Amino acid sequence: MSSPQDLRYTRTHEWVRVEGELATIGITDYAQNELGDITYLELPEVGSEITQNEPLGVVESVKAASDIYAPISGQVVERNETVIDSPDLLNRSPYEEAWLLRIRPTDPSQIEALMSAEEYDAFATQAAH
Amino acid sequence: MAADQAQTEGRRTPLYERHLALGARMIPFAGWIMPVQYSGIINEHTSVRTRAGLFDLGHMGQLDVRGPDAVAFLQHVTTNDVSALEPGKAQYSLLPNERGGVVDDIIVYRRPAGDGYMVVVNAANHAKDVAWLEQHRAARSDLDVDIRDISDQTGMIAIQGPEAQAITQRLTSIDLTTIGDFSWAEGDIAQVPAMIARTGYTGEDGFEIYTAIEEIGRVWDALMEAGKDNGLVPAGLGARDTLRLEARMPLYGQELADDICPLEAGLGWAVKLEKGDFIGRDAIAAMKAAGPPRKLVGFRLTERSGAPRTHYPVQVDGREVGHVTSGAYSPTLGENIGLALIASEQAGVGKPLDVVIRGRAVKGVQVRTPFYRRAK
């Protein structure tokens, strides 16, 4: 497993990419692979607040519905309507086309505390066994 | 997303190593460790609908029922009419309890030579069924019947889909066109002695194949090879569930339970009240006379939402009238479908219902079932 180097990761399999004052969040390749065929996505509206470690939305596969947890706190400034319309994009491009939300972080130091790519890969590899 | 804990505890079928080699995701199921998917549930589902899929059913139980009073015993413990079953034929049936609920749903096969029956039971109910049948055999000491659990000696796989017959025919000298629906024949497949039955749990044509347990891997391998050019794929429990739901086949624990009457589940056709006395007959007859209080209905959701899932509440005009027994995103129809057990007065094709999904009432409408019926 080798996750993109420029992202930070959570133990609940979300990622964060810092882009200036904003942060983009999504779910990892490991997460989409574990879920299987993704059929539905529920995300918060633009303007709403998300709180670190709290559920921000739901991703459903044929098998099950799973919560998506907020990797950091902040206000939603944009959400990816394309992936809401075509949730299977998450299976094909979890780090690029299937980003979920852009948020304005409340406390940027939360991002630093998340796992690096190496740490996440080690964590996810262990979770898989 | 919450991390799944990888679970690898459970009994293994003889095909376990093959599933790993095929890249299957394994899950615990009824005490077994079984493949839930290989290439993906939607791909496997679609392959079974359009080409063919191969399923490991090694978790299912097989019981051999023989003896001079085998028919009388089976008549007593099942709802369908076993006396109508000719050699080489099979029937869907139920093991009822005294209250008119269901202990398990089963397939009863009469052996082609006419010498006894094989009863195939659900993995989740296997031990319970064996105990139940033993208890009722003991209570009927007037009947000379022998029940033997042959599951540990029996391998079971299924090949299902429009290409199933063409693929299977390459490996057997039995003329498969002579095996009708719910019939079986004895013969060799891939040089292995087998029972080949035209039964299944997908709504497609296809076969369930029984061999000695140590030979089932050989038949699996031969079918995988023979089906290569027909698009045969291995298919897991995930696709099995969505396929059977589209075909409106019940799953024990969801559409059937010890407190759900077969009449409520729409399985009156498998209950023969006129065949004579059997366990639970009076309770079922009383419900028939009074009319079942609940009814299993099919529905589709008409709003965009997540999938309806087992136990989600069902409402009409804001009032709870029942619950979802099974639901899913239907790969064939591309919409959310489900079965719900609701108050009979609310049941009716075209009538509305709401499914409460994470606190939100999502609109739906009752539809005819099965959701999918294959072209003959």
Side-chain angles (χ1 to χ4, degrees), chain A residues 47-118:
Chain A
S48 54
E49 297 284 340
I50 62 172
T51 307
Q52 188 176 36
N53 299 331
E54 297 287 320
L56 66 80
V58 173
V59 59
E60 291 204 11
S61 68
V62 179
K63 274 186 293 181
S66 305
D67 286 328
I68 304 168
Y69 294 91
I72 55 173
S73 299
Q75 186 176 40
V76 178
V77 296
E78 190 182 354
R79 71 175 191 176
N80 185 348
E81 301 296 334
T82 306
V83 72
I84 292 173
D85 288 339
S86 308
D88 59 328
L89 209 54
L90 275 165
N91 292 120
R92 300 200 302 270
S93 182
Y95 296 118
E96 301 294 336
E97 289 174 73
W99 60 274
L100 300 179
L101 301 172
R102 289 223 162 78
I103 66 168
R104 189 175 302 284
T106 311
D107 174 6
S109 73
Q110 285 180 341
I111 301 170
E112 292 309 305
L114 300 176
M115 284 187 277
S116 68
E118 289 75 19

Coordinates of all heavy atoms in Angstrom, one line a residue, chain A residues 47-118:
Chain A
G47 N -21.8 25.6 4.0 CA -22.1 26.6 5.0 C -22.2 25.9 6.4 O -22.1 26.5 7.4
S48 N -22.4 24.6 6.4 CA -22.5 23.9 7.7 C -21.2 23.6 8.3 O -20.1 23.7 7.6 CB -23.3 22.5 7.5 OG -22.7 21.8 6.5
E49 N -21.2 23.4 9.6 CA -20.0 23.2 10.4 C -19.8 21.7 10.6 O -20.7 21.0 10.9 CB -20.1 23.9 11.8 CG -20.2 25.4 11.7 CD -18.9 26.1 11.4 OE1 -17.8 25.5 11.6 OE2 -19.0 27.3 11.0
I50 N -18.6 21.2 10.5 CA -18.3 19.9 10.8 C -17.3 19.8 12.0 O -16.5 20.8 12.1 CB -17.7 19.0 9.6 CG1 -16.4 19.6 9.1 CG2 -18.8 19.0 8.5 CD1 -15.7 18.7 8.1
T51 N -17.4 18.8 12.8 CA -16.6 18.7 14.0 C -15.7 17.5 14.0 O -16.2 16.4 13.7 CB -17.5 18.7 15.3 OG1 -18.4 19.8 15.2 CG2 -16.7 18.7 16.6
Q52 N -14.5 17.7 14.3 CA -13.5 16.6 14.2 C -14.0 15.4 15.0 O -14.5 15.5 16.1 CB -12.1 17.0 14.8 CG -11.1 16.0 14.6 CD -9.7 16.4 15.1 OE1 -9.6 17.1 16.1 NE2 -8.7 16.0 14.4
N53 N -13.9 14.2 14.3 CA -14.2 12.9 14.9 C -15.7 12.6 15.0 O -16.1 11.6 15.4 CB -13.6 12.6 16.2 CG -12.1 12.7 16.2 OD1 -11.5 12.3 15.1 ND2 -11.4 13.1 17.3
E54 N -16.5 13.6 14.5 CA -18.0 13.4 14.5 C -18.4 13.0 13.1 O -17.7 13.4 12.1 CB -18.7 14.7 14.8 CG -18.5 15.3 16.2 CD -19.2 14.4 17.3 OE1 -20.3 14.0 17.1 OE2 -18.5 14.2 18.3
P55 N -19.5 12.2 12.9 CA -19.9 11.8 11.6 C -20.3 13.1 10.8 O -21.0 13.9 11.3 CB -21.1 10.9 11.8 CG -21.0 10.5 13.2 CD -20.3 11.6 14.0
L56 N -19.8 13.2 9.6 CA -20.2 14.3 8.7 C -21.1 13.9 7.6 O -21.8 14.7 7.0 CB -18.9 15.0 8.1 CG -18.1 14.2 7.1 CD1 -18.7 14.2 5.7 CD2 -16.7 14.8 7.0
G57 N -21.2 12.6 7.4 CA -22.1 12.1 6.3 C -22.0 10.6 6.3 O -21.5 9.9 7.2
V58 N -22.6 10.0 5.2 CA -22.7 8.6 5.1 C -22.3 8.1 3.7 O -22.7 8.8 2.7 CB -24.2 8.1 5.4 CG1 -24.4 6.7 5.1 CG2 -24.6 8.5 6.8
V59 N -21.6 7.0 3.7 CA -21.3 6.4 2.4 C -21.9 5.0 2.4 O -21.8 4.3 3.4 CB -19.8 6.4 2.1 CG1 -19.0 5.7 3.2 CG2 -19.5 5.8 0.7
E60 N -22.7 4.7 1.3 CA -23.3 3.4 1.3 C -22.7 2.6 0.1 O -22.5 3.1 -1.0 CB -24.8 3.5 1.1 CG -25.5 4.1 2.3 CD -27.0 3.7 2.3 OE1 -27.4 2.8 1.5 OE2 -27.7 4.2 3.1
S61 N -22.5 1.3 0.4 CA -22.1 0.4 -0.6 C -23.3 -0.6 -0.7 O -24.3 -0.5 0.0 CB -20.8 -0.4 -0.3 OG -21.0 -1.2 0.8
V62 N -23.2 -1.6 -1.7 CA -24.3 -2.6 -1.7 C -24.4 -3.3 -0.4 O -25.5 -3.6 0.1 CB -24.0 -3.6 -2.8 CG1 -25.1 -4.7 -2.9 CG2 -23.8 -2.9 -4.2
K63 N -23.3 -3.5 0.3 CA -23.3 -4.3 1.5 C -23.8 -3.5 2.7 O -24.6 -4.0 3.5 CB -21.8 -4.6 1.9 CG -21.3 -5.9 1.3 CD -20.0 -6.3 1.8 CE -18.9 -5.3 1.4 NZ -17.6 -5.6 1.8
A64 N -23.4 -2.2 2.9 CA -23.7 -1.6 4.2 C -23.6 -0.1 4.1 O -23.1 0.5 3.1 CB -22.7 -2.0 5.2
A65 N -24.2 0.6 5.1 CA -24.0 2.1 5.2 C -23.0 2.3 6.3 O -23.0 1.7 7.3 CB -25.4 2.7 5.7
S66 N -22.0 3.2 6.0 CA -21.0 3.6 6.9 C -20.9 5.1 7.1 O -21.0 5.8 6.2 CB -19.6 3.1 6.4 OG -19.6 1.7 6.1
D67 N -20.6 5.5 8.4 CA -20.4 6.9 8.6 C -19.1 7.4 8.1 O -18.1 6.6 8.1 CB -20.4 7.2 10.1 CG -21.8 7.1 10.7 OD1 -22.8 7.4 10.0 OD2 -22.0 6.6 11.9
I68 N -19.0 8.6 7.6 CA -17.8 9.3 7.3 C -17.5 10.2 8.4 O -18.4 11.0 8.8 CB -17.9 10.0 6.0 CG1 -18.3 9.1 4.8 CG2 -16.5 10.7 5.6 CD1 -18.7 9.9 3.5
Y69 N -16.3 10.2 9.0 CA -16.0 11.1 10.2 C -15.2 12.3 9.7 O -14.4 12.2 8.8 CB -15.2 10.3 11.2 CG -16.1 9.2 11.8 CD1 -16.1 7.9 11.3 CD2 -16.9 9.4 12.9 CE1 -16.9 6.9 11.8 CE2 -17.7 8.4 13.5 CZ -17.7 7.2 12.9 OH -18.5 6.2 13.4
A70 N -15.5 13.4 10.4 CA -14.7 14.6 10.0 C -13.3 14.5 10.5 O -13.1 14.3 11.7 CB -15.4 15.8 10.7
P71 N -12.3 14.6 9.6 CA -10.9 14.4 10.1 C -10.5 15.7 10.9 O -9.6 15.6 11.7 CB -10.1 14.3 8.7 CG -11.0 14.8 7.7 CD -12.4 14.7 8.2
I72 N -11.1 16.8 10.6 CA -10.8 18.0 11.3 C -12.1 18.9 11.4 O -13.1 18.5 10.7 CB -9.7 18.9 10.5 CG1 -10.2 19.2 9.1 CG2 -8.3 18.2 10.6 CD1 -9.3 20.1 8.3
S73 N -12.1 19.9 12.2 CA -13.3 20.7 12.3 C -13.2 21.9 11.3 O -12.1 22.3 11.0 CB -13.3 21.3 13.7 OG -13.5 20.3 14.7
G74 N -14.3 22.4 10.9 CA -14.3 23.5 10.0 C -15.7 23.8 9.4 O -16.7 23.1 9.7
Q75 N -15.7 24.8 8.5 CA -16.9 25.1 7.8 C -16.8 24.7 6.3 O -15.8 24.9 5.7 CB -17.2 26.6 7.9 CG -18.5 27.0 7.3 CD -18.8 28.5 7.4 OE1 -17.9 29.3 7.3 NE2 -20.0 28.9 7.7
V76 N -17.9 24.1 5.9 CA -17.9 23.6 4.5 C -18.1 24.7 3.5 O -19.0 25.5 3.6 CB -19.1 22.6 4.3 CG1 -19.2 22.1 2.8 CG2 -19.0 21.4 5.3
V77 N -17.1 24.9 2.6 CA -17.2 25.9 1.6 C -17.6 25.4 0.2 O -18.0 26.2 -0.7 CB -15.9 26.8 1.5 CG1 -15.7 27.5 2.8 CG2 -14.7 25.9 1.1
E78 N -17.4 24.1 0.0 CA -17.7 23.6 -1.3 C -17.9 22.1 -1.1 O -17.3 21.5 -0.3 CB -16.6 23.8 -2.3 CG -16.9 23.5 -3.7 CD -15.7 23.7 -4.7 OE1 -14.7 24.2 -4.3 OE2 -15.9 23.3 -5.9
R79 N -18.9 21.5 -1.9 CA -19.0 20.1 -1.9 C -19.0 19.5 -3.3 O -19.5 20.2 -4.2 CB -20.1 19.6 -1.0 CG -21.5 19.8 -1.5 CD -22.6 19.2 -0.6 NE -23.8 19.2 -1.4 CZ -24.9 18.7 -1.0 NH1 -25.0 18.0 0.2 NH2 -26.0 18.7 -1.7
N80 N -18.6 18.3 -3.5 CA -18.4 17.8 -4.8 C -19.7 17.2 -5.3 O -20.1 16.0 -4.9 CB -17.3 16.7 -4.8 CG -17.0 16.2 -6.1 OD1 -17.7 16.4 -7.1 ND2 -15.9 15.4 -6.2
E81 N -20.5 17.9 -6.0 CA -21.8 17.5 -6.5 C -21.7 16.3 -7.5 O -22.5 15.5 -7.6 CB -22.6 18.6 -7.1 CG -22.9 19.8 -6.2 CD -23.8 19.5 -5.0 OE1 -24.6 18.5 -5.1 OE2 -23.6 20.2 -3.9
T82 N -20.5 16.3 -8.2 CA -20.3 15.3 -9.2 C -20.3 13.9 -8.5 O -20.8 12.9 -9.0 CB -19.0 15.5 -10.0 OG1 -19.0 16.8 -10.5 CG2 -18.8 14.5 -11.1
V83 N -19.6 13.8 -7.4 CA -19.5 12.5 -6.7 C -20.8 12.1 -6.1 O -21.1 10.9 -5.9 CB -18.3 12.4 -5.8 CG1 -18.5 13.3 -4.5 CG2 -17.9 11.0 -5.4
I84 N -21.6 13.1 -5.7 CA -22.9 12.8 -5.1 C -23.8 12.2 -6.2 O -24.5 11.2 -6.0 CB -23.6 14.1 -4.5 CG1 -22.8 14.5 -3.3 CG2 -25.1 13.8 -4.2 CD1 -23.3 15.8 -2.7
D85 N -23.7 12.7 -7.5 CA -24.4 12.2 -8.6 C -23.9 10.8 -9.1 O -24.7 10.0 -9.6 CB -24.4 13.2 -9.8 CG -25.3 14.4 -9.5 OD1 -26.2 14.3 -8.6 OD2 -25.0 15.5 -10.1
S86 N -22.6 10.6 -8.9 CA -22.0 9.4 -9.4 C -21.1 8.8 -8.3 O -19.9 8.9 -8.4 CB -21.1 9.6 -10.7 OG -21.9 10.3 -11.6
P87 N -21.7 8.2 -7.3 CA -20.9 7.8 -6.1 C -19.9 6.7 -6.5 O -18.9 6.6 -5.8 CB -22.0 7.2 -5.2 CG -23.3 7.7 -5.7 CD -23.1 8.0 -7.1
D88 N -20.1 6.0 -7.6 CA -19.1 5.0 -8.0 C -17.7 5.6 -8.4 O -16.7 4.9 -8.5 CB -19.6 4.1 -9.1 CG -20.0 4.9 -10.4 OD1 -20.4 6.1 -10.2 OD2 -19.8 4.4 -11.5
L89 N -17.7 7.0 -8.5 CA -16.5 7.7 -8.7 C -15.5 7.4 -7.6 O -14.3 7.4 -7.7 CB -16.7 9.2 -8.9 CG -15.8 10.1 -9.7 CD1 -15.7 9.5 -11.1 CD2 -16.4 11.5 -9.7
L90 N -16.1 7.2 -6.4 CA -15.2 6.9 -5.2 C -14.4 5.6 -5.4 O -13.3 5.5 -4.8 CB -16.1 6.8 -4.0 CG -16.4 8.1 -3.3 CD1 -17.6 8.0 -2.3 CD2 -15.2 8.7 -2.5
N91 N -15.0 4.7 -6.1 CA -14.3 3.4 -6.3 C -13.2 3.6 -7.4 O -12.2 2.9 -7.4 CB -15.2 2.3 -6.9 CG -16.2 1.9 -5.8 OD1 -17.4 2.0 -6.0 ND2 -15.7 1.4 -4.7
R92 N -13.3 4.6 -8.2 CA -12.3 4.8 -9.3 C -11.2 5.8 -9.0 O -10.1 5.7 -9.4 CB -13.1 5.2 -10.6 CG -14.1 4.1 -11.0 CD -14.5 4.3 -12.5 NE -15.0 5.6 -12.8 CZ -16.3 5.9 -12.8 NH1 -17.2 5.0 -12.4 NH2 -16.7 7.1 -13.1
S93 N -11.6 6.9 -8.3 CA -10.6 8.0 -8.1 C -10.8 8.6 -6.7 O -11.2 9.8 -6.6 CB -10.9 9.0 -9.2 OG -9.9 10.1 -9.1
P94 N -10.5 7.9 -5.7 CA -10.8 8.4 -4.3 C -10.0 9.6 -3.9 O -10.4 10.4 -3.1 CB -10.5 7.2 -3.4 CG -9.5 6.4 -4.2 CD -9.9 6.5 -5.6
Y95 N -8.8 9.8 -4.5 CA -7.9 10.9 -4.1 C -8.0 12.1 -5.0 O -7.5 13.2 -4.7 CB -6.5 10.5 -4.1 CG -6.2 9.4 -3.0 CD1 -5.7 8.1 -3.4 CD2 -6.4 9.7 -1.7 CE1 -5.5 7.2 -2.5 CE2 -6.2 8.7 -0.7 CZ -5.7 7.4 -1.1 OH -5.5 6.5 -0.2
E96 N -8.6 12.0 -6.2 CA -8.7 13.1 -7.1 C -10.1 13.5 -7.4 O -10.6 14.4 -6.8 CB -7.9 12.7 -8.4 CG -6.5 12.3 -8.2 CD -5.6 13.5 -7.7 OE1 -6.0 14.7 -8.0 OE2 -4.6 13.3 -7.1
E97 N -10.7 12.8 -8.4 CA -12.1 13.3 -8.8 C -13.1 13.1 -7.7 O -14.1 13.9 -7.7 CB -12.5 12.4 -10.0 CG -11.8 12.8 -11.3 CD -12.2 11.8 -12.4 OE1 -13.3 11.9 -12.9 OE2 -11.4 10.9 -12.8
A98 N -12.9 12.1 -6.8 CA -14.0 11.9 -5.8 C -13.6 12.5 -4.5 O -14.0 11.9 -3.4 CB -14.2 10.4 -5.7
W99 N -13.0 13.7 -4.5 CA -12.9 14.4 -3.2 C -14.3 14.7 -2.8 O -15.3 14.7 -3.6 CB -12.1 15.7 -3.4 CG -12.7 16.7 -4.4 CD1 -12.5 16.7 -5.8 CD2 -13.6 17.8 -4.2 NE1 -13.2 17.7 -6.4 CE2 -13.9 18.4 -5.4 CE3 -14.1 18.3 -3.0 CZ2 -14.7 19.5 -5.5 CZ3 -15.0 19.4 -3.1 CH2 -15.3 20.0 -4.3
L100 N -14.5 15.0 -1.5 CA -15.9 15.1 -1.0 C -16.2 16.6 -0.6 O -17.2 17.1 -1.1 CB -16.1 14.2 0.3 CG -15.9 12.7 0.1 CD1 -16.1 12.0 1.4 CD2 -16.8 12.2 -1.0
L101 N -15.4 17.2 0.2 CA -15.7 18.5 0.7 C -14.5 19.4 0.7 O -13.4 18.9 0.9 CB -16.2 18.5 2.2 CG -17.5 17.7 2.5 CD1 -17.7 17.6 4.0 CD2 -18.7 18.3 1.8
R102 N -14.7 20.7 0.5 CA -13.6 21.7 0.8 C -14.1 22.4 2.0 O -15.2 22.9 2.1 CB -13.5 22.7 -0.3 CG -12.8 22.1 -1.6 CD -11.8 23.0 -2.2 NE -11.0 22.1 -3.1 CZ -11.4 21.7 -4.3 NH1 -12.5 22.0 -4.8 NH2 -10.6 20.8 -5.0
I103 N -13.2 22.6 3.0 CA -13.6 23.2 4.2 C -12.6 24.3 4.6 O -11.4 24.2 4.2 CB -13.8 22.2 5.4 CG1 -12.5 21.6 5.8 CG2 -14.8 21.2 5.1 CD1 -12.6 20.8 7.1
R104 N -13.1 25.2 5.4 CA -12.2 26.2 6.1 C -11.9 25.7 7.5 O -12.8 25.8 8.3 CB -12.9 27.6 6.1 CG -11.9 28.8 6.5 CD -12.6 30.1 6.4 NE -13.1 30.4 5.0 CZ -12.3 30.8 4.0 NH1 -11.1 31.0 4.2 NH2 -12.9 31.0 2.8
P105 N -10.7 25.3 7.7 CA -10.4 24.6 9.0 C -10.5 25.6 10.2 O -10.1 26.8 10.1 CB -8.9 24.2 8.9 CG -8.7 24.1 7.4 CD -9.5 25.2 6.8
T106 N -11.1 25.1 11.3 CA -11.2 26.0 12.5 C -9.8 26.1 13.2 O -9.5 27.1 13.7 CB -12.2 25.3 13.5 OG1 -13.4 25.0 12.7 CG2 -12.5 26.2 14.6
D107 N -9.1 25.0 13.2 CA -7.8 24.9 13.9 C -6.8 24.1 13.0 O -6.8 22.9 13.1 CB -8.1 24.2 15.2 CG -6.8 24.0 16.0 OD1 -5.7 24.4 15.5 OD2 -6.9 23.3 17.0
P108 N -6.1 24.8 12.2 CA -5.1 24.1 11.3 C -4.2 23.1 12.0 O -3.7 22.2 11.4 CB -4.4 25.3 10.6 CG -5.3 26.4 10.8 CD -6.0 26.3 12.1
S109 N -4.0 23.3 13.3 CA -3.0 22.4 14.0 C -3.6 21.0 14.1 O -2.8 20.0 14.2 CB -2.7 22.9 15.4 OG -3.8 22.7 16.2
Q110 N -4.9 20.9 13.9 CA -5.5 19.5 13.9 C -4.9 18.7 12.7 O -4.8 17.5 12.8 CB -7.0 19.6 13.7 CG -7.8 20.1 15.0 CD -9.3 20.1 14.8 OE1 -9.7 20.2 13.7 NE2 -10.0 20.1 15.9
I111 N -4.6 19.4 11.6 CA -4.2 18.7 10.4 C -2.8 18.0 10.7 O -2.5 16.9 10.4 CB -4.1 19.6 9.2 CG1 -5.5 20.2 8.9 CG2 -3.5 18.9 8.0 CD1 -5.5 21.3 7.9
E112 N -1.9 18.8 11.4 CA -0.6 18.4 11.7 C -0.6 17.1 12.5 O 0.3 16.2 12.4 CB 0.2 19.4 12.4 CG 0.5 20.7 11.5 CD 1.1 20.3 10.2 OE1 2.2 19.6 10.2 OE2 0.6 20.6 9.1
A113 N -1.6 17.0 13.3 CA -1.6 15.8 14.3 C -2.1 14.5 13.6 O -2.0 13.5 14.2 CB -2.6 16.2 15.4
L114 N -2.6 14.7 12.3 CA -3.1 13.5 11.6 C -1.9 12.6 11.1 O -0.7 13.1 11.2 CB -4.0 13.8 10.5 CG -5.2 14.6 10.8 CD1 -6.0 15.0 9.5 CD2 -6.2 13.8 11.7
M115 N -2.2 11.4 10.7 CA -1.1 10.5 10.3 C -0.5 10.9 8.9 O -1.2 11.4 8.0 CB -1.7 9.1 10.1 CG -1.9 8.4 11.4 SD -2.3 6.6 11.2 CE -4.1 6.8 10.9
S116 N 0.8 10.7 8.8 CA 1.4 10.8 7.5 C 1.1 9.6 6.6 O 0.5 8.6 7.1 CB 3.0 10.9 7.7 OG 3.4 9.6 8.1
A117 N 1.5 9.7 5.3 CA 1.2 8.6 4.4 C 1.9 7.3 4.9 O 1.3 6.2 4.9 CB 1.7 8.9 3.0
E118 N 3.1 7.4 5.4 CA 3.8 6.2 5.9 C 3.1 5.6 7.1 O 2.9 4.4 7.2 CB 5.3 6.5 6.3 CG 6.2 6.8 5.1 CD 6.0 8.2 4.5 OE1 5.4 9.1 5.2 OE2 6.4 8.4 3.4

